[in-house]
């Protein structure tokens, strides 16, 4: 690892709020198909809405974490991974490659998408449906010109159609008692329990909490997207383009800082206010409302119905209830929208993973892996993930919920570690640019929460782990 020192340039003038919108759509889209569409509605359909407080807490934690990730890139123009490698040494990039690819190699989200697509089409679900969707995913990336723009356009389209539809369908089915249960759940009051019900699988709850938003190392990808969108000092960095179709752009690994003049500090505060507003509107507010509405819809339609305890089937049961009480095509359209949202999530997951792994490969060994090769490394990691997913399907691992929960547990542990590292890194910035006390406390609270739950889940499952190897 041989990183050049930060250069010095002027901080660019802030973009308008309209021109800033984009990166949060990708991070939100990453979360839509895991926590929003699968885990929180699944838990609500089984245990009621008394647990929904944790969904709001989880996405609030991720808002503060994401903004600290964005802060570093806004100030330096380089990714958070470069900053962490500067601060914590050469093992950091290796750690991020492993903890990005291993937890997310389980294609649980695309398996859920395939299951729901098959139900919408009225065909039997099989591993071949999942494999076909993986190949379509790879094809979409391979025909786009700029990787970031491809991800942004796909997620914007899915969210701008999907979220209003969810809102309308929830208004049709949720009655006054359902809304009351939601309000009580936000305060932690369930049916006969406070905060957490008896019998709640802790691993699934931790998975849902970790996925209340993006989850895992995918939150760190926010740094890459704000860089490629041109936030702050990221304006001086290039973008990843298609190695076959895109016009090549110069990509800079190391960044620049800016002199702490009155004008630059004024610009920094304007940048900071606007990117906070963008992320609060698109990621936090839209994400929280989507989780609440999808959980409320699951509660209003299939709460404690026979079959809701069997993984992704609760979504199919929701569609049958919607079709039975309205029109058959509405139930089918619900399934199609759910499947598309799940596909969009896996689409952004693989794209973010490939971007993270490619950048960290360069950071780990710049002599062997050049920054100019970043587009090539992106596509290599993308297709490696697709091939791994195909192999996992071919071996018969097709149950979506189990794959999602397994990946989420690994991601929660990873979040525990990097949350502390990011906070430490940002406190090494110049004093006027550091996080405030309130933001530091919020991120530290998330650090403790992820750590305690991860440790508790490991201890709880030690007998099962021991049985596997004995």
């Amino acid at each position: 690892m041989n990183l050049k020192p930060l250069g010095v340039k002027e901080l660019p003038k802030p973009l308008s709020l309209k021109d800033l919108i984009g990166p949060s759509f990708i991070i939100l889209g990453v979360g839509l198909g895991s926590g929003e569409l699968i885990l929180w509605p699944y838990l609500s359909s089984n245990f009621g809405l008394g647990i929904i407080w944790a969904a709001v807490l989880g996405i609030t934690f991720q808002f503060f974490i994401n903004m600290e990730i964005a802060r570093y890139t806004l100030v330096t123009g380089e990714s958070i991974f470069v900053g962490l490698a500067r601060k914590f040494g050469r093992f950091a990039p290796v750690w991020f490659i492993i903890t990005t690819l291993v937890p997310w190699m389980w294609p649980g989200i695309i398996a859920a998408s395939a299951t729901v697509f098959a139900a919408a089409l009225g065909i039997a679900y099989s591993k071949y449906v999942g494999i076909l969707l993986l190949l379509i995913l790879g094809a979409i990336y391979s025909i786009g010109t700029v990787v970031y723009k491809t991800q942004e356009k796909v997620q914007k389209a899915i969210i701008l159609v999907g979220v209003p539809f969810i809102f309308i369908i929830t208004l049709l089915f949720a009655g006054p008692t359902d809304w009351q249960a939601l309000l009580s759940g936000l305060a932690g009051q369930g049916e006969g329990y406070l905060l957490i019900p008896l019998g709640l699988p802790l691993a699934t709850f931790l998975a849902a909490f970790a996925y209340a938003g993006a989850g895992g190392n995918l939150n760190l990808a926010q740094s890459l997207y704000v860089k490629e969108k041109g936030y702050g000092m990221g304006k001086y960095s290039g973008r990843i383009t298609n190695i076959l179709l895109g016009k090549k752009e110069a990509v800079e690994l190391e960044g620049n800082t800016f002199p702490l003049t009155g004008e630059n500090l004024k610009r920094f505060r304007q940048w900071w206010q606007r990117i906070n507003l963008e992320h609060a509107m698109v990621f936090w507010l839209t994400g929280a409302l989507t989780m609440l509405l999808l959980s409320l819809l699951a509660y209003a339609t299939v709460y404690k119905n026979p079959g809701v305890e069997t993984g992704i089937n609760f979504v199919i049961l929701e569609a049958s209830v919607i079709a039975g009480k309205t029109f058959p095509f509405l139930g089918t359209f619900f399934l199609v929208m759910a499947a598309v949202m799940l596909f969009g999530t896996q689409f952004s997951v693989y794209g973010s993973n490939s971007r993270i792994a490619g950048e960290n490969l360069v950071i780990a060994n710049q002599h062997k892996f050049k920054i100019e090769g970043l587009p090539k490394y992106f596509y290599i990691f993308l297709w490696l993930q697709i091939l791994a997913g195909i192999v996992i399907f071919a071996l018969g691992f097709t149950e979506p919920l189990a794959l999602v929960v397994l990946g989420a547990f690994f991601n929660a542990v990873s979040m525990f570690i990097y949350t502390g590292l990011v906070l430490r890194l940002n406190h090494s910035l110049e004093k006027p640019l550091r996080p405030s006390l309130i933001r530091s406390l919020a991120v530290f609270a998330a650090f403790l929460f992820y750590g305690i739950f991860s440790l508790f889940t490991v201890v709880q499952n030690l007998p099962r782990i021991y049985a596997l190897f004995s």
Side-chain angles (χ1 to χ4, degrees):
M1 190 176 71
N2 186 25
L3 295 170
K4 294 185 295 186
L6 288 166
V8 179
K9 293 184 178 181
E10 289 296 310
L11 180 63
K13 291 181 179 180
L15 298 174
S16 67
L17 182 61
K18 176 177 67 71
D19 292 332
L20 284 173
I21 291 175
S24 296
F25 273 103
I26 299 177
I27 298 298
L28 174 61
V30 166
L32 275 179
S34 45
E36 280 87 336
L37 193 55
I38 299 179
L39 293 172
W40 285 110
Y42 168 78
L43 291 173
S44 299
S45 68
N46 280 274
F47 298 98
L49 291 168
I51 55 165
I52 206 65
W53 60 271
V56 177
L57 179 62
I59 199 168
T60 302
F61 277 164
Q62 289 198 31
F63 169 81
F64 284 106
I65 293 168
N66 291 352
M67 291 315 302
E68 290 312 307
I69 291 166
R71 179 193 299 274
Y72 183 80
T73 300
L74 177 71
V75 170
T76 66
E78 63 185 24
S79 76
I80 194 75
F81 302 105
V82 177
L84 291 171
R86 289 186 189 277
K87 184 74 175 176
F88 300 104
R90 64 175 62 251
F91 182 70
V94 177
W95 166 259
F96 285 119
I97 292 172
I98 294 170
T99 58
T100 297
L101 296 180
V102 172
W104 287 106
M105 74 177 180
W106 310 99
I109 299 168
I110 204 75
S113 179
T115 303
V116 178
F117 260 128
L121 296 173
I123 62 175
Y125 168 64
S126 74
K127 59 190 177 185
Y128 299 109
V129 182
I131 290 171
L132 176 62
L133 291 182
L134 286 174
L135 293 174
I136 292 172
L137 184 156
I140 294 172
Y141 271 117
S142 299
I143 61 175
T145 53
V146 176
V147 170
Y148 168 80
K149 283 187 175 181
T150 302
Q151 286 184 274
E152 184 182 307
K153 286 177 181 178
V154 169
Q155 288 302 345
K156 275 185 177 178
I158 292 172
I159 291 167
L160 292 176
V161 175
V163 173
F165 173 72
I166 291 164
F167 179 70
I168 292 169
I169 206 76
T170 304
L171 288 180
L172 286 175
F173 281 88
T177 55
D178 302 318
W179 286 101
Q180 181 58 51
L182 178 66
L183 292 174
S184 298
L186 289 171
Q189 181 62 57
E191 297 177 26
Y193 67 87
L194 186 65
L195 298 180
I196 298 177
L198 290 173
L200 175 67
L202 191 61
T204 307
F205 181 74
L206 177 63
F209 195 86
Y211 282 168
N217 287 358
L218 295 177
N219 292 84
L220 296 167
Q222 174 79 353
S223 171
L224 302 171
Y225 301 132
V226 302
K227 174 183 172 182
E228 297 202 2
K229 187 71 173 178
Y231 282 19
M233 301 301 286
K235 182 180 180 180
Y236 302 110
S237 304
R239 300 173 298 179
I240 302 297
T241 57
N242 189 306
I243 54 177
L244 298 176
L245 304 176
K247 181 181 178 182
K248 191 172 182 181
E249 294 189 15
V251 180
E252 298 291 336
L253 184 67
E254 296 94 344
N256 301 277
T257 188
F258 53 87
L260 297 182
T261 63
E263 178 62 26
N264 280 335
L265 289 174
K266 179 183 175 182
R267 290 181 182 181
F268 170 75
R269 287 190 290 269
Q270 290 174 332
W271 274 109
W272 185 242
Q273 289 168 358
R274 291 175 191 177
I275 69 173
N276 270 272
L277 184 57
E278 188 265 355
H279 204 57
M281 290 191 306
V282 177
F283 175 79
W284 185 84
L285 183 59
T286 307
L289 284 175
T290 305
M291 278 192 294
L292 294 177
L293 290 172
L294 283 167
S295 298
L296 178 60
L297 181 62
Y299 180 80
T301 53
V302 296
Y303 176 50
K304 288 193 173 177
N305 280 19
V308 294
E309 68 281 355
T310 55
I312 198 65
N313 282 345
F314 81 91
V315 175
I316 298 169
L317 288 173
E318 279 184 271
S320 66
V321 172
I322 291 168
K325 293 186 177 181
T326 55
F327 307 99
F329 83 89
L330 198 58
T332 302
F333 187 68
F334 174 77
L335 286 176
V336 170
M337 284 307 307
V340 169
M341 290 168 73
L342 289 162
F343 176 85
T345 295
Q346 191 75 71
F347 179 84
S348 278
V349 164
Y350 277 0
S352 299
N353 288 354
S354 304
R355 188 68 178 79
I356 291 170
E359 178 131 340
N360 278 285
L361 186 68
V362 175
I363 297 169
N365 191 337
Q366 291 187 71
H367 295 297
K368 188 173 183 180
F369 303 102
K370 304 296 183 183
I371 187 65
E372 295 79 13
L374 202 51
K376 179 175 67 176
Y377 308 144
F378 172 87
Y379 282 99
I380 289 173
F381 280 116
L382 174 69
W383 282 99
L384 280 176
Q385 289 176 96
I386 291 170
L387 290 174
I390 291 171
V391 169
I392 290 170
F393 277 133
L395 292 174
F397 296 96
T398 57
E399 165 48 38
L401 185 68
L403 292 173
V404 170
V405 171
L406 179 63
F409 169 70
F410 288 124
N411 280 315
V413 175
S414 174
M415 290 172 77
F416 161 62
I417 294 170
Y418 75 63
T419 298
L421 297 181
V422 169
L423 187 60
R424 177 84 181 275
L425 175 66
N426 281 352
H427 274 279
S428 68
L429 297 172
E430 295 289 342
K431 193 170 183 180
L433 312 176
R434 294 175 190 170
S436 66
L437 177 61
I438 292 175
R439 289 178 182 269
S440 297
L441 289 174
V443 175
F444 186 68
F447 169 75
L448 290 178
F449 203 98
Y450 293 129
I452 291 168
F453 264 96
S454 300
L455 180 62
F456 194 72
T457 304
V458 170
V459 171
Q460 189 184 52
N461 288 279
L462 277 177
R464 192 177 303 173
I465 297 169
Y466 177 77
L468 285 173
F469 294 97
S470 62

